[in-house]
């Protein structure tokens, strides 16, 4: 049986609509997980504005909701067969937009060291640049996170939640934050190296352009 991302299956049966834009079949499918991902994009400026206004509890609540929405869209996509090429691109971009924005804001507020913000942002910038470059060279990389990247993202989320909770006055975990900063830094560097090795192998493999 064809999945909900296949155009030949009636779209009304999949909870999806079609919009023009896909290079493969002339249609781009918007599914429920895609709408949830778009909502996560919209939440990012709200989180940033809350942090600027000093409303850390609001920022923390929205950040947690964004994290829950990330888990929800993935679960829906898997269990209801609503995976799509659009979602494969939108979801990681939304995650990076969220994490980078909060990292930069916490660095600006001096709640996180500037060097950690630079490390985190540089990693995501390198990954995005590598994906774009491989596409320009007509040797696109599959959007598939590595296990070390998943672990890194999870630790980053936990760190940001704890820091936001500390700023909101909910908990005081300065010692924990201090250790987690170095843990996140180490995993971020390791994840960057793993992605670089994977990308170089892809670009230099048979059929690659490198």
């Amino acid at each position: 049986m064809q999945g909900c991302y296949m155009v030949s299956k009636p779209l009304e049966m999949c909870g999806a609509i079609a919009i023009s834009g896909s290079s493969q079949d002339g249609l781009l499918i918007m599914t429920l997980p895609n709408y949830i991902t778009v909502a996560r994009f919209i939440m990012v400026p709200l989180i940033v504005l809350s942090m600027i206004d000093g409303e850390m509890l609001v920022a923390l609540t929205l950040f947690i909701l964004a994290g829950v929405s990330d888990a929800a869209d993935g679960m829906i996509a898997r269990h209801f067969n609503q995976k799509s090429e659009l979602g494969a691109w939108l979801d990681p971009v939304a995650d990076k937009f969220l994490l980078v924005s909060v990292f930069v804001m916490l660095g600006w507020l001096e709640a996180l060291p500037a060097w950690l913000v630079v490390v985190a942002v540089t990693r995501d910038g390198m990954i995005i640049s590598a994906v774009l470059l491989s596409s320009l060279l007509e040797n696109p990389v599959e959007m598939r996170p590595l296990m070390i990247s998943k672990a890194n993202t999870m630790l980053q989320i936990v760190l940001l939640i704890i820091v936001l909770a500390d700023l909101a006055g909910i908990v005081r975990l300065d010692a924990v934050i201090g250790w987690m900063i170095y843990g996140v830094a180490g995993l971020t560097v390791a994840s960057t190296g793993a992605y670089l090795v994977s990308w170089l192998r892809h670009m230099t493999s048979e059929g690659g352009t490198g």
Side-chain angles (χ1 to χ4, degrees), residues 148-159:
I148 191 172
S149 175
K150 292 180 179 180
N152 179 53
T153 299
M154 180 60 65
L155 193 60
Q156 286 184 349
I157 291 173
V158 172
L159 172 62

Side-chain angles (χ1 to χ4, degrees), residues 7 15 20 25 29 31 46-47 64 110 166 201:
V7 176
S20 61
D25 48 38
I29 305 304
T31 63
L46 298 178
I47 294 172
I64 293 175
E110 299 183 350
D166 184 85
R201 286 177 178 172

